Amino acid sequence: MAPALALKSLESLPRTPASDMKKLGWRGVMKTIARSGKVLVTNHDEPEAVIIPVAEYNAMLALLREAASRDEDALDALRRKFDERMASLKAPGAGEKLNSVFDKPLELDGRVIAGESF
């Protein structure tokens, strides 16, 4: 499991104008990154890009992949549960049982008739 990242808002990142890229060169920008970990590049005071170290980028990708995997696992569980419930409609007598439910008068008595408990 990848370590949690300390993500900061754009406003809290150290800034450097795009003109510094020309003035300081890549080496100068990389020195700033070495000091602060990341840099927000601005153009006319508007955020334009964030430069981060490769290790941080890889850590972010690992966290995203892990989250996507958890989401996919949850979806697979929901699909299996849905398929199991739908399979019950193919059971012998399922049609008659379903018709009998629709034939009954609906009396809620303040209850909601839904879900697995019904």
Side-chain angles (χ1 to χ4, degrees):
M1 179 176 191
L5 294 174
L7 299 176
K8 297 180 180 180
S9 66
L10 285 179
E11 294 78 27
S12 66
L13 293 177
R15 293 174 169 245
T16 187
S19 59
D20 278 1
M21 297 288 284
K22 294 176 189 171
K23 193 172 18 174
L24 300 174
W26 185 249
R27 196 174 299 251
V29 172
M30 291 309 293
K31 284 182 184 178
T32 304
I33 291 172
R35 281 192 308 272
S36 61
K38 49 189 92 54
V39 170
L40 174 65
V41 180
T42 61
N43 188 13
H44 299 288
D45 252 357
E46 290 296 317
E48 198 161 87
V50 176
I51 302 175
I52 60 173
V54 170
E56 188 165 345
Y57 179 79
N58 287 334
M60 287 169 48
L61 284 179
L63 287 173
L64 289 170
R65 286 184 184 119
E66 184 180 312
S69 176
R70 281 193 309 268
D71 290 349
E72 193 59 39
D73 291 345
L75 281 174
D76 284 343
L78 284 173
R79 282 185 197 106
R80 281 191 302 277
K81 187 174 181 177
F82 178 81
D83 290 344
E84 288 168 7
R85 294 185 82 181
M86 292 303 290
S88 68
L89 294 176
K90 294 181 181 178
E96 293 83 25
K97 185 176 179 181
L98 190 58
N99 284 332
S100 72
V101 169
F102 286 122
D103 290 340
K104 291 180 185 175
L106 187 61
E107 293 182 27
L108 293 177
D109 296 325
R111 297 179 314 144
V112 175
I113 300 175
E116 293 179 16
S117 62
F118 176 66

